[in-house]
Amino acid sequence: RGNNINTDKDFGIVTQFVFLGLTDNWVQEILFFMAFSAMYVLTLWGNILIMVTIVFTPCLSTPMYFFLSNLSFIDICHSSVTVPKMLEGLLFDRKTISCIAQLFFLHLFACAEILLLTIMAYDRYVAICAPLHYPNVNMRVCVQLVFVLWLVGTVHSLVQTFLTIRLPYCGPNVIDSYFCNVPPVIKLACTDTCLTGIPIVSNRGTISLSCFLALVASYTIILFSLRKQSAEGRRKALSTCLAHFMVVSLFFGPFSTDKLVSVFYTVVTPLLNPFIDTLRNEEIKSAMKHLRQRRVFS
């Protein structure tokens, strides 16, 4: 596989890349295929269920649930960028890809998710620290925030993708992973990537650090504000924030280029998000039960 180099006949440059995948053992490939297929189906089912529940339940027409439905949509998209291609490679041993589309959408949905988690933290801050003003929040503002996060995500993704594909690739085309990401791809470039790596890292680092600091600031203010509330108020506030904090912890956990850790972020995390949000949210569980009863009655 390492010598499987697809090049453009006229220019002698690499046009496709080859994944090493997770394993070369066919038994492990079948087991991985079965496990990840089940996870992917549950990811789609769980997140679609949350979106449908929020859309068809009038009492959930609040900023918190509007953002939660957007998070479910992003999780579906983020998982769908990498998992189907990985499953295809495990089952049919087709491990070649032209990375441009996957690079673009991978960074688009990752950036959109990190920005949305930051907006959701600010939403929790307003709901807990200014509860009298929260019911008056204009949903149009929420829609505008979501539009901005998609705009920023698109610009970020265009920058990452353009800086990566403009490099010359004329040698080995084997990626030691199961999807296209910037670091393993630019390692294959036939030129010094130091100058290109600086804006790539700066672009990613600025967004990640800014969002992380905003999240820390929001939760610090929330924790300090809880001292002035009653025991019941603190319990409700902590219950509301805990689910979001768990999702944030999964997303901002220790990063590694290890393939198994990458599986956790691309396969497991989108699956855990809907279960975290539903198991700790009585309103969501009640709305789902009500929709199920309506469906049975119909």
Side-chain angles (χ1 to χ4, degrees):
R1 289 176 182 169
N3 296 322
N4 183 15
I5 301 178
N6 296 311
T7 60
D8 186 281
K9 294 181 180 179
D10 296 325
F11 301 98
I13 61 174
V14 172
T15 57
Q16 285 193 324
F17 294 90
V18 180
F19 298 135
L20 286 182
L22 296 175
T23 178
D24 286 328
N25 186 297
W26 69 270
V27 175
Q28 292 180 348
E29 287 185 333
I30 295 299
L31 293 176
F32 282 147
F33 175 82
M34 295 172 62
F36 295 150
S37 295
M39 290 182 183
Y40 182 59
V41 170
L42 287 174
T43 297
L44 297 179
W45 177 80
N47 284 292
I48 290 174
L49 181 61
I50 289 179
M51 293 169 60
V52 170
T53 301
I54 293 174
V55 169
F56 289 97
T57 306
C59 65
L60 299 182
S61 300
T62 64
M64 172 182 170
Y65 293 110
F66 172 74
F67 293 133
L68 183 58
S69 64
N70 278 272
L71 179 63
S72 293
F73 174 74
I74 291 175
D75 279 333
I76 290 174
C77 296
H78 197 183
S79 181
S80 298
V81 170
T82 57
V83 176
K85 185 63 180 178
M86 177 182 66
L87 295 177
E88 181 187 13
L90 290 172
L91 188 62
F92 300 110
D93 203 32
R94 297 173 185 166
K95 299 181 179 179
T96 60
I97 190 174
S98 179
C99 279
I100 298 176
Q102 193 176 67
L103 271 175
F104 175 81
F105 287 109
L106 180 69
H107 282 275
L108 171 62
F109 296 128
C111 183
E113 183 158 0
I114 188 176
L115 292 171
L116 182 59
L117 290 174
T118 306
I119 293 173
M120 292 174 71
Y122 181 73
D123 171 72
R124 294 298 82 212
Y125 158 74
V126 176
I128 294 171
C129 299
L132 297 179
H133 296 284
Y134 189 69
N136 299 322
V137 174
N138 192 333
M139 287 298 295
R140 187 166 63 179
V141 175
C142 299
V143 174
Q144 291 172 345
L145 288 173
V146 171
F147 173 78
V148 170
L149 75 84
W150 282 112
L151 181 62
V152 173
T154 300
V155 173
H156 163 75
S157 187
L158 286 173
V159 170
Q160 295 287 311
T161 306
F162 174 75
L163 291 176
T164 302
I165 65 174
R166 66 185 291 271
L167 295 172
Y169 298 94
C170 53
N173 66 336
V174 179
I175 301 175
D176 187 16
S177 183
Y178 60 92
F179 65 95
C180 290
N181 200 2
V182 173
V185 171
I186 64 175
K187 287 181 180 179
L188 304 177
C190 305
T191 186
D192 186 8
T193 60
C194 291
L195 292 179
T196 302
I198 292 174
I200 288 177
V201 174
S202 300
N203 180 255
R204 299 173 67 179
T206 300
I207 294 177
S208 299
L209 182 60
S210 300
C211 291
F212 179 76
L213 292 177
L215 286 163
V216 171
S218 297
Y219 277 106
T220 301
I221 296 173
I222 288 174
L223 291 175
F224 275 103
S225 69
L226 292 180
R227 297 183 303 173
K228 302 177 182 178
Q229 298 191 19
S230 62
E232 180 66 15
R234 286 195 296 269
R235 186 190 67 81
K236 290 183 178 180
L238 288 174
S239 177
T240 302
C241 291
L242 185 58
H244 181 252
F245 184 75
M246 292 172 66
V247 173
V248 170
S249 299
L250 290 174
F251 197 84
F252 281 95
F255 177 78
S256 173
T257 56
D258 184 82
K259 284 186 280 190
L260 293 180
V261 177
S262 298
V263 167
F264 180 81
Y265 284 108
T266 57
V267 181
V268 180
T269 299
L271 170 64
L272 291 180
N273 287 351
F275 287 98
I276 292 173
D277 291 323
T278 54
L279 292 178
R280 297 198 55 84
N281 192 309
E282 293 298 330
E283 288 182 316
I284 287 284
K285 289 191 290 185
S286 176
M288 288 180 176
K289 182 179 179 181
H290 181 65
L291 282 179
R292 186 170 64 250
Q293 291 173 344
R294 284 171 53 187
R295 180 176 178 274
V296 171
F297 180 76
S298 300

